[in-house]
Amino acid sequence: MEERFFATAIHCFFIAFGVMVGGSIIGSIGEFATGDAPLSAIGTIAKKLRIWAIAAAIGGTFDALSNFERGIFDGSTMDIFRQIVLILCAMGGVKTAVVLIEWLIQEEVS
């Protein structure tokens, strides 16, 4: 595998992580501004952001679908493998962020 692919995988991890942590914490400012509890809102927002963080990290869903299509119809199994690895890296970033958020708010994000 190329060295550039590993850099892309690391970027996917941290983009997903950043979307989760930043989106949850910054999104809770709206709850604070309206007089609601911001810590409980962080958990709710984090639960809603999971799939969007993965989609943002892999560059959007259409790119992923086109890579799968290329892998299936053109016989390029390496493209399918790379896309799966990128999705797994993004999922790892989301899970790491959820663990950090759960530690921060002291309740489970399910």
Side-chain angles (χ1 to χ4, degrees):
M1 290 195 175
E2 300 174 6
E3 186 175 324
R4 188 74 190 142
F5 173 72
F6 290 120
T8 304
I10 291 170
H11 287 146
C12 279
F13 178 89
F14 283 105
I15 288 170
F17 181 83
V19 167
M20 286 294 293
V21 172
S24 298
I25 292 174
I26 298 299
S28 71
I29 293 174
E31 295 292 324
F32 177 74
T34 59
D36 294 331
L39 286 180
S40 62
I42 289 174
T44 305
I45 294 169
K47 187 174 15 172
K48 294 177 182 177
L49 275 179
R50 283 181 176 177
I51 192 69
W52 296 109
I54 294 169
I58 62 172
T61 56
F62 293 114
D63 291 336
L65 291 176
S66 68
N67 284 339
F68 277 121
E69 177 188 14
R70 187 175 342 138
I72 291 171
F73 294 126
D74 294 341
S76 176
T77 57
M78 190 55 93
D79 288 335
I80 293 175
F81 176 72
R82 287 180 180 177
Q83 200 62 37
I84 290 171
V85 170
L86 291 178
I87 290 170
L88 289 175
C89 286
M91 291 173 99
V94 167
K95 182 62 180 173
T96 305
V98 166
V99 168
L100 180 71
I101 290 168
E102 287 176 345
W103 175 75
L104 177 70
I105 64 174
Q106 294 295 309
E107 66 182 49
E108 187 174 333
V109 176
S110 55

